[in-house]
Amino acid sequence: MISSLHGTVLSTGADHVVIEVGGVGFFVFVPGDVAHTSRVGEQLRLHTSLIVREDALTLFGFAEPLELEVFGHLLSVTGVGPKSALGVLGHLTVDQIATAVADDDDAPFRRVSGIGPKTAKLIVVQLAGKLKAPSPRAADARPGTGTDVVAQLTAALVGLGWSEKVANEAATETAEAASDADRRSVSALLRQALAALGPAKAGAPRG
């Protein structure tokens, strides 16, 4: 079982990276945010799951152990395969997944490519009680950020084609780093977020 990899990024794609470890290149499927932020020549550590099939051995990798844990939970849901589970984690953060399950809200899952209404509902039903929802005050605990402006900035980035996961992370980081004056202007924050994400990726496929 390959539980983690730490090595040099040889190449990247929309949904994967190739990491060289000990002279061997490993092809690993990853969420979109990992693929977008990985750079050739840099070091990368991934927490991995090896999926064994009769005709293939496939690696799936995640930046955080908790994402790998949620990946395993998603695979336990009827009708959810590795690619669909990866799609969910590429589109939503762990906190967003846990919140949706706790709220019995299947709408976020229906917005993930490859997840139909029936499967979205099964995710909510079968993962109930298995994921810990974040505290309602968790976002307020971050100094200097407002949940309203982060939500507005996230929505703006999603409208430009970014996944909810990438958009939310970029919005939160931008709001945390912004001045008090900029934090009162969504347009100013949007310019900063796009500068950080990179203009070439604006309008990139969701995922």
Side-chain angles (χ1 to χ4, degrees), residues 40-150:
V40 173
E42 293 185 353
Q43 294 290 297
L44 179 64
R45 182 184 297 278
L46 293 174
H47 303 274
T48 60
S49 174
L50 178 64
I51 304 298
V52 180
R53 296 287 187 265
E54 290 184 1
D55 58 345
L57 300 176
T58 310
L59 275 170
F60 293 83
F62 304 90
E64 301 295 335
L66 189 55
E67 291 180 313
L68 178 61
E69 180 181 333
V70 173
F71 178 73
H73 285 308
L74 287 166
L75 289 181
S76 71
V77 176
T78 304
V80 176
K83 290 292 185 68
S84 295
L86 184 70
V88 171
L89 283 159
H91 193 76
L92 302 168
T93 65
V94 168
D95 281 353
Q96 288 170 336
I97 293 169
T99 298
V101 171
D103 292 344
D104 194 25
D105 179 14
D106 64 357
F109 302 110
R110 286 189 275 110
R111 290 194 289 269
V112 178
S113 178
I115 300 292
K118 181 179 179 181
T119 302
K121 188 62 179 177
L122 284 173
I123 291 174
V124 170
V125 171
Q126 295 186 13
L127 293 191
K130 296 182 179 179
L131 305 178
K132 182 179 179 181
S135 165
R137 296 183 178 274
D140 296 334
R142 299 189 183 99
T145 63
T147 55
D148 287 346
V149 72
V150 170

Side-chain angles (χ1 to χ4, degrees), residues 181-204:
D182 283 346
R183 203 172 293 124
R184 290 191 288 270
S185 170
V186 174
S187 60
L189 292 175
L190 180 59
R191 288 193 295 271
Q192 294 175 27
L194 289 175
L197 288 168
K201 292 188 177 68

